Amino acid sequence: MSRTFKQLETKVVRAGQPDPRVLGAVVPPIFQSAMFEYAGESSYHDLKYIRLNNTPTHAALGAKLAAIEGGEAAVVAASGMAAISTTLLTVLTPGDRLLAQDCLYGGTHDLLTRELAELGIETDFIDADAPDSWERRLRPRTRAIYVETLTNPLLQLADLEAVASFARSHGLVSLVDNTFATPVNFRPLEHGFDLVLHSATKFLNGHSDIVAGAVIGSVAWIQRITHRLNHLGGSLDPHACFLFDRGLKTLVLRVRHQNQSARLIARGLEQHPAIARVNYPGLESHPRHERAARLFGGFGGMLSFELTGGAPAADRFIAHTTLPIVAPSLGGAETLLTRPALTSHLGLSPEARHKAGISDGLIRMSVGLESTDEILEDLVQALDAVGTAVAESTT
Ligand code: PLP
């Protein structure tokens, strides 16, 4: 039984560690063994085997994640999508319906509208900021409600407290993808959600060197989800568990830096004449800034913005930047830029993107751990260059 710790800074380093230490090792060894000697286990799910998600490396990581998110238990999976799909396939069975936010991460949106729909699980999309409209969307077999703490790529903020209380009063399971906010800034279970999901590929691991997912919740839910994961097979390899755990140790330090850096960068961008709009919950101009300030410990490392010159100006701007790396994904040490219409939301039709408010020129930025001044300086010189190019072409 490992110790409990009070503060998040301590939990990310020490929670879930084997007690006593294995041969005194300060950093627990990686149990890179596919199977373990039979020790009289009476249930299939208790046999020690990597796919059954129960090696000592998995157990330690699960216990740490549960402590960080304030849940009873947690399980890790081979990707964020493995965590999301396995969880939905545990909570929902054919004929069931899901209420889901209308601007989810593209992969999740596609999973709901394609694979789950093919299995007879239908989704009714809702405006997650308009609680009065949700009751009308309920059907006899609506079983769950699914949102993201901050949406990708527009950084919209749902009425999260209303989602949790609506779920409770209507007997629904509430699920939230907390990838963008991270438990440093928001812990959904403390606000009444049933299950928290993560693409740990992003901030939780924080180094862009693994793909992983996680689900955190009650012992009863996590046991059911783990049993389904054991059969679906999306288990995380122990070496990736080790990298995940190593990344978690610096989660608080990284995210606090990213909170601060992204806020300064968002403010700097907002003041530039070549910028039309910046989406960042830490800006007073964000429509739900007050809610974010009340619920969140920090506003996160993600922002998105549009240039006055639209998609052609976005292309020129990106070509003039020298420090950020142009790549999809997010939450790592390197600052990344991407145009969601060409990457994360390419799977959506142009009409669906337009309806969701994702313009072709929208740029998403994941603020890394480099110097804030140096990133901002580079962004401003690229914006100046776009402005100069526009001025030259009109003279
Ligand atoms: N959830 C969010 C908010 C994401 O941004 C992503 C990936 O970008 C996922 C889930 C899927 O995670 P993964 O790529 O680890 O499967």
Side-chain angles (χ1 to χ4, degrees):
M1 186 58 202
S2 65
R3 249 177 87 178
T4 56
F5 301 95
K6 292 194 218 73
Q7 301 294 333
L8 198 59
E9 293 86 340
T10 315
K11 290 177 185 177
V12 293
V13 180
R14 303 290 292 274
Q17 305 286 287
D19 184 13
R21 279 180 266 284
V22 180
L23 298 176
V26 171
V27 175
I30 312 167
F31 287 85
Q32 194 76 43
S33 177
M35 75 294 272
F36 291 66
E37 229 172 6
Y38 177 66
E41 293 88 355
S42 53
S43 143
Y44 168 73
H45 295 285
D46 291 335
L47 295 170
K48 295 281 178 294
Y49 184 58
I50 289 176
R51 179 170 49 73
L52 301 180
N53 301 292
N54 57 16
T55 72
T57 309
H58 287 88
L61 180 54
K64 179 178 281 190
L65 284 163
I68 293 171
E69 279 283 10
E72 289 175 1
V75 63
V76 293
S79 66
M81 289 311 298
I84 294 167
S85 57
T86 305
T87 299
L88 289 172
L89 288 171
T90 308
V91 172
L92 304 164
T93 52
D96 287 348
R97 301 187 77 93
L98 175 71
L99 287 183
Q101 189 169 12
D102 56 10
C103 48
L104 296 172
Y105 162 63
T108 307
H109 179 273
D110 289 357
L111 170 75
L112 299 181
T113 53
R114 296 179 195 178
E115 282 79 13
L116 290 194
E118 273 175 30
L119 294 173
I121 298 167
E122 296 289 343
T123 299
D124 299 296
F125 287 99
I126 52 165
D127 175 348
D129 199 22
D132 290 349
S133 65
W134 302 342
E135 190 130 19
R136 286 196 298 279
R137 310 289 288 157
L138 284 175
R139 306 274 195 90
R141 289 213 36 195
T142 306
R143 298 278 186 246
I145 183 163
Y146 187 105
V147 295
E148 293 176 356
T149 35
L150 282 168
T151 65
N152 177 7
L154 294 172
L155 286 303
Q156 289 166 347
L157 176 53
D159 192 340
L160 297 170
E161 291 161 305
V163 171
S165 74
F166 182 83
R168 258 196 318 277
S169 58
H170 292 85
L172 308 179
V173 182
S174 51
L175 302 107
V176 56
D177 181 332
N178 198 28
T179 300
F180 270 40
T182 84
V184 178
N185 292 332
F186 185 67
R187 288 177 296 284
L189 299 173
E190 292 174 4
H191 295 265
F193 278 88
D194 294 309
L195 288 166
V196 179
L197 297 145
H198 277 278
S199 167
T201 312
K202 318 295 193 290
F203 291 97
L204 290 191
N205 168 259
H207 292 74
S208 304
D209 52 10
I210 58 164
V211 171
V215 194
I216 305 101
S218 65
V219 167
W221 269 123
I222 296 304
Q223 190 186 54
R224 285 182 62 190
I225 294 163
T226 306
H227 289 182
R228 184 118 316 170
L229 184 65
N230 291 349
H231 287 144
L232 294 179
S235 309
L236 192 64
D237 181 79
H239 190 256
C241 290
F242 162 77
L243 289 171
F244 184 169
D245 182 58
R246 187 165 74 156
L248 275 177
K249 292 181 188 179
T250 55
L251 177 73
V252 179
L253 295 175
R254 287 185 284 105
V255 171
R256 286 201 184 134
H257 174 87
Q258 285 160 318
N259 285 341
Q260 207 181 3
S261 196
R263 199 171 184 187
L264 291 169
I265 290 169
R267 282 196 185 134
L269 288 175
E270 202 175 37
Q271 283 159 16
H272 198 283
I275 291 284
R277 187 164 71 110
V278 180
N279 305 308
Y280 185 66
L283 291 176
E284 286 71 21
S285 57
H286 188 283
R288 293 291 173 232
H289 172 66
E290 276 172 29
R291 180 185 295 158
R294 184 165 51 81
L295 293 181
F296 291 176
F299 300 107
M302 297 301 300
L303 54 109
S304 61
F305 52 95
E306 285 178 53
L307 277 71
T308 49
D315 269 344
R316 286 200 301 278
F317 163 75
I318 289 176
H320 277 96
T321 58
T322 63
L323 191 55
I325 300 169
V326 181
S329 201
L330 55 118
E334 295 82 8
T335 294
L336 303 179
L337 290 178
T338 186
R339 277 178 54 201
L342 303 180
T343 53
S344 57
H345 290 70
L346 187 58
L348 266 61
S349 66
E351 298 74 41
R353 275 200 302 273
H354 180 74
K355 200 163 159 242
I358 303 167
S359 72
D360 285 350
L362 185 78
I363 298 170
R364 189 189 73 188
M365 180 167 183
S366 171
V367 176
L369 301 177
E370 306 94 336
S371 142
T372 310
D373 289 346
E374 213 167 338
I375 301 170
L376 196 50
E377 202 176 295
D378 191 50
L379 298 176
V380 168
Q381 69 73 27
L383 288 171
D384 289 345
V386 172
T388 313
V390 171
E392 276 166 7
S393 68
T394 54
T395 51

